[in-house]
Amino acid sequence: MTATAAPRPVRVLLADDQPLLRAGFRMVLGVEDDLDIVGEAGDGVEAVELSRRLLPDVVLMDIRMPRMDGVAATRAIVDARLPVRVLVLTTFELDEYVVGALRAGASGFLAKDVPAEDLVTAIRTVAAGEAVVAPRILRRLLDRFADVLPDPAATPPRVLDPLTDREREVLVQVARGLSNAEIARALSVSETTVKTHVGHMLTKLGLRDRVQAVVLAYETGLVRPGK
């Protein structure tokens, strides 16, 4: 019999200007057999440089860092089309920066006080090509900007025109933070069908992942905070 090769560990780069926090993340992630910390960056410029050189699967990116903040670093990594995904860490006091990071192409965000098991799961999820949407935090963010969001009673923006009615319905459910399985139950279709609709919706709108889809759904007024 031929032995099956073990899957390659997820390669993680830590980017935070506080050495103690990096040490804490290293301690939490180091016990996971499928995670491999390949480097540490103390500022945004170093994070971009190490991303180019090491090509980690996931960068665990702090928002506020010297020389270049996490938003600019995320944008530089995404614009360079590196095969690297960014998971942003933030605090509730830095909400505006999170919106900027999502627009820059981050694949998700977590609060810095996230439980260890949630952090590990989020890294695996992002490495697998999915996005991490924290509905509770996202609603808090969008509530702060509700006054500048479009009126849902107004004519929907033409950016959504390429979507079919079903794809638009799926986008609404995604924006509410539902998983594919939950959307399938809500719409009485198979999970495979939902996955297909999500893929078509992202392609038609030119979006990287579900996180950007959530932001667009709120920005266009398709959904509103708390609805």
Side-chain angles (χ1 to χ4, degrees):
M1 295 178 63
T2 302
T4 303
R8 180 178 66 85
V10 175
R11 304 173 73 252
V12 181
L13 173 66
L14 304 178
D16 196 297
D17 64 333
Q18 298 184 47
L20 284 178
L21 278 177
R22 295 202 306 271
F25 291 137
R26 180 177 285 276
M27 184 179 302
V28 168
L29 304 180
V31 300
E32 303 295 332
D33 293 337
D34 62 335
L35 301 181
D36 182 17
I37 299 174
V38 296
E40 296 184 19
D43 60 58
V45 171
E46 189 177 12
V48 175
E49 292 173 349
L50 288 179
S51 293
R52 291 178 180 275
R53 179 157 56 88
L54 301 176
L55 295 179
D57 299 303
V58 177
V59 179
L60 205 56
M61 182 81 75
D62 185 24
I63 282 288
R64 184 165 289 178
M65 293 186 291
R67 293 210 291 169
M68 178 186 289
D69 66 28
V71 174
T74 297
R75 183 175 295 108
I77 291 170
V78 172
D79 287 350
R81 299 186 180 278
L82 301 177
V84 176
R85 298 176 71 83
V86 179
L87 178 58
V88 172
L89 296 177
T90 185
T91 64
F92 285 138
E93 289 74 25
L94 298 177
D95 290 346
E96 296 88 343
Y97 290 90
V98 178
V99 173
L102 296 180
R103 287 172 175 158
S107 294
F109 61 89
L110 296 172
K112 278 195 171 182
D113 60 354
V114 64
E117 59 270 23
D118 290 351
L119 175 62
V120 170
T121 298
I123 291 173
R124 291 170 179 154
T125 300
V126 168
E130 297 294 332
V132 177
V133 180
R136 178 176 60 88
I137 299 177
L138 186 60
R139 280 194 292 270
R140 179 176 178 131
L141 285 173
L142 293 165
D143 283 342
R144 294 185 59 176
F145 304 114
D147 290 343
V148 300
L149 292 173
D151 181 356
T155 302
R158 298 192 63 84
V159 68
L160 301 178
D161 284 355
L163 301 183
T164 65
D165 289 343
R166 178 61 91 180
E167 288 164 355
R168 189 175 299 217
E169 193 173 7
V170 168
L171 175 56
V172 169
Q173 301 301 324
V174 168
R176 290 172 176 163
L178 273 63
S179 66
N180 284 354
E182 291 169 331
I183 296 173
R185 288 194 295 270
L187 301 182
S188 299
V189 297
S190 71
E191 191 170 344
T192 299
T193 298
V194 172
K195 186 175 181 180
T196 299
H197 285 317
V198 170
H200 289 166
M201 176 263 293
L202 294 177
T203 299
K204 289 180 178 180
L205 297 179
L207 302 175
R208 179 183 172 94
D209 51 38
R210 297 168 78 100
V211 174
Q212 292 190 333
V214 172
V215 173
L216 179 66
Y218 279 93
E219 286 182 330
T220 58
L222 186 63
V223 292
R224 297 282 292 181
K227 302 297 184 181

